[in-house]
Amino acid sequence: MASISGAFSPSSTLLRPRRHQSVVFSAFPFRRLRPPQSIADLSRSSSPSYPCSSTNNSLKPGSVCPVEKDPKKLWDRYVDWLYQHKELGLFLDVSRIGFTDEFLEKMEPKMQKAFQAMKELEKGAIANPDEKRMVGHYWLRSPHLSPNTYLKDQIEKTLDRICEFAEAIISAKIKPPSSPAGRFTQILSVGIGGSSLGPQFVAEALAPDNPPLKIRFIDNTDPAGIDHQIAQLGPELASTLVIVISKSGGTPETRNGLLEVQKAFREAGLNFSKQGVAITQENSLLDNTARIEGWLARFPMFDWVGGRTSEMSAVGLLPAALQGIDIREMLVGAALMDEATRSTVVRENPAALLSMCWYWASDGVGSKDMVVLPYKDSLLLFSRYLQQLVMESLGKEFDLDGNRVNQGLTVYGNKGSTDQHAYIQQLREGVHNFFVTFIEVLRDRPPGHDWELEPGVTCGDYLFGMLHGTRSALYANDRESITVTVQEVTPRSVGAMVALYERAVGIYAALININAYHQPGVEAGKKAAGEVLALQKRVLTVLNEASCKEPVEPLTLDEIADRCHAPEEIEMIYKIIQHMAANDRALIAEGSCGSPRSVKVFLGECNVDEMYA
Ligand SMILES: O=P(O)(O)OC[C@H]1O[C@H](O)[C@H](O)[C@@H](O)[C@@H]1O
């Protein structure tokens, strides 16, 4: 790599655009052998072999299988395993994952079983048995594959409506009633989890510098965060289209976000219903609210699309279209990737290659974390998006046969090269509990804008050097990695990447025999949150009774817990008091919060109505 010295003495040399450049690359003559019939065939073929012996019944060699270091053999492995999708301009390099021929051979029957499971899923099987639901996100980009014409029509009609609505908003055929701009200029998206992460990722990746409508998100029940978003809109609230997204239509954080935004509208003298849009399942609480209040529009979320795989439904497509992103291109990218990932030849199926690598790298039990490092600022949120897609899908206590398995695959990462200045030190030299996925984007800038900031080297060359330097340095220390390469960040390539990972998760889930499409663990936290709020109400009632006495009776935490009939909840009661005391809740706490036993509490005023309620 070029030396750093002199890096800040820009040379103004403009690069001559070479029109043939990308063509040369995409037509690079990667040798494609006659497709082998199975992985087992491959292991008997001329591919280089990696001499790791397997321990008894494990699919992976027991201890550490040293990765190939011989440059010539590594190049052979690179060339042999390089996957290319020509039409999408996407490459997948798995050469720096050390799977062996023996591993591939043993995996082959499992892979074939997984392909069969995916085939049945796409045909409309109840692939989510707990919730008795079909899993149909693949139909969203290929409606003709839906199991019946009713679903096909639903998908197509919804897509047409999204396009028409977005066009009417952008062209100001539909206007907000009291906007000085005379048109919608902002989107405020209210939603959480799968109803927000995809739209956030896509906005960051694809929104133009000056979109027809700018988007911001409320994705939490943090009052300060909500206030910040509303304050940032300022007078533009009058020109804001509020899209409330919730599949269930009853998620508390989203409901709270909606109530806070509606209050802001009231206070600004605006009519929310003329600016509100709902995306939710038919007849959900949100749907009924939107219908009764006469909101501007309602779009459906289908029962058979899960939140974390909803990017190609109205959830992802409506916000994207309103930002001027070509959503039909996103769908084309996803459909092309779906087609490629239906192949039952592992080597020719990039999602199968990914899931097979995950299995190898994490022993099929999540023993290693997946660090996702896109070297492109616009893909910053990809790892965050993947975190939900992968971890909520694969992180399960039981397998499909009811065995306790505590499965999962941890995902984290932000972007390169920024993360090289944060935690890559540990990855290179510290605890060896991860593998990396590099996301490489070949095109640095739009054509005609590049320049050499030192002789022969552009800013993008540095980014390129950082990626490959890190990949090599990690590999030299036996740290495995996968590299996904795309030509550019476009609606098509983003659609393809979403589809690639959706399918990889589906295949991997089949390999480890778990239901990827439910999330029973999330319910426990929601239920516990409800219990905390119920306890808070009981605490307030007890305090009110004591505070209405003459004279007022300050209570210790033990006394409050006893009167709430919840002595085992004393710690939570302490936390409730601490939180309310910090938030001007007419509650007076004497003593020191640092020594909870000294605390005595009463209310600043007695609420007589509540006493007799
Ligand atoms: O879209 P919603 O029904 O509001 O759900 C939003 C999110 O909430 C949940 O707790 C689930 O774990 C997520 O999978 C879901 O995406």
Side-chain angles (χ1 to χ4, degrees), residues 190-197 245-255 279-281 286 301 306-310 315 388 392 517-523 526:
V190 184
I192 197 166
S195 292
S196 182
L197 288 163
I245 311 177
S246 173
K247 177 177 174 179
S248 60
T251 301
E253 290 93 332
T254 305
R255 183 207 68 150
I279 304 178
T280 184
Q281 284 191 114
L286 173 59
M301 234 199 124
R308 55 190 172 273
T309 50
S310 63
V315 171
Q388 187 205 19
E392 204 166 59
Y517 308 104
H518 66 168
Q519 50 283 328
V522 178
E523 297 311 313
K526 285 188 195 168

Side-chain angles (χ1 to χ4, degrees), residues 274-424:
K274 303 280 180 229
Q275 296 179 225
V277 175
I279 304 178
T280 184
Q281 284 191 114
E282 221 177 313
N283 284 325
S284 72
L285 197 58
L286 173 59
D287 190 42
N288 291 335
T289 306
R291 186 169 36 78
I292 292 163
E293 292 180 1
W295 292 14
L296 189 55
R298 292 180 292 138
F299 291 89
M301 234 199 124
F302 308 120
D303 168 65
W304 38 268
V305 174
R308 55 190 172 273
T309 50
S310 63
E311 182 45 37
M312 306 285 158
S313 74
V315 171
L317 297 182
L318 180 64
L322 289 162
Q323 292 167 85
I325 296 167
D326 187 341
I327 58 172
R328 297 218 184 245
E329 269 293 289
M330 279 173 66
L331 292 166
V332 167
L336 284 169
M337 182 52 75
D338 287 343
E339 220 174 287
T341 53
R342 281 188 195 107
S343 169
T344 57
V345 180
V346 173
R347 180 182 284 257
E348 299 187 342
N349 178 335
L353 284 170
L354 278 183
S355 54
M356 195 261 295
C357 288
W358 298 354
Y359 200 103
W360 167 269
S362 77
D363 298 311
V365 293
S367 63
K368 289 219 167 80
D369 303 343
M370 177 158 76
V371 182
V372 178
L373 281 178
Y375 276 64
K376 187 53 72 180
D377 286 2
S378 64
L379 297 180
L380 171 69
L381 298 183
F382 192 45
S383 46
R384 205 166 156 207
Y385 166 76
L386 287 182
Q387 214 163 42
Q388 187 205 19
L389 177 63
V390 175
M391 294 177 74
E392 204 166 59
S393 301
L394 303 179
K396 298 293 155 69
E397 185 169 15
F398 297 103
D399 70 10
L400 283 164
D401 300 322
N403 304 307
R404 187 184 299 275
V405 288
N406 296 111
Q407 268 289 359
L409 184 61
T410 303
V411 180
Y412 66 92
N414 298 298
K415 62 170 178 168
S417 65
T418 314
D419 288 4
Q420 283 176 228
H421 300 269
Y423 59 79
I424 304 284

